[in-house]
């Protein structure tokens, strides 16, 4: 980090990512049901946070966040 630009072959990049992402000491693989439940919980927490702190972030920011959460809800991949 912070060392400037670098170049990595795509194949090496994918391999490095998979080594990291498949490390079970870092990540836990969830079932689809667990992932959906976690997503529902997180969305509720974010909406509650927006309600609690809209006076701090402002209504436009809260509206922007909620809009984009809703527009991305149909696919977790964007």
């Amino acid at each position: 980090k912070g060392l400037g630009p670098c170049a990595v072959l795509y194949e090496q990049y994918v391999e490095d990512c998979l080594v990291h992402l498949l490390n079970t000491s870092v990540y836990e693989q969830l079932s689809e049901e667990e992932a959906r439940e976690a997503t529902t919980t997180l969305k509720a927490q974010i909406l509650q946070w927006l309600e609690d702190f809209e006076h701090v972030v402002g209504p436009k920011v809260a509206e922007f966040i909620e809009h984009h959460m809703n527009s991305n809800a149909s696919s977790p991949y964007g």
Side-chain angles (χ1 to χ4, degrees):
K1 288 185 172 182
L3 298 176
C6 71
V8 177
L9 294 175
Y10 177 77
E11 292 80 11
Q12 184 64 51
Y13 178 79
V14 170
E15 184 179 325
D16 292 346
C17 287
L18 288 174
V19 165
H20 180 69
L21 293 173
L22 295 174
N23 182 344
T24 57
S25 71
V26 177
Y27 292 102
E28 175 184 355
Q29 188 168 2
L30 303 177
S31 69
E32 187 170 337
E33 183 179 334
E34 291 171 319
R36 288 188 191 283
E37 186 177 311
T39 300
T40 300
T41 300
L42 180 58
K43 182 177 181 180
Q45 291 172 337
I46 291 170
L47 291 173
Q48 184 61 56
W49 185 90
L50 287 173
E51 186 178 316
D52 294 345
F53 294 98
E54 182 177 329
H55 67 282
V56 176
V57 299
K60 294 283 186 189
V61 171
E63 182 181 314
F64 176 87
I65 293 170
E66 188 169 353
H67 169 78
H68 285 281
M69 274 192 352
N70 291 330
S71 66
N72 291 319
S74 63
S75 173
Y77 308 108

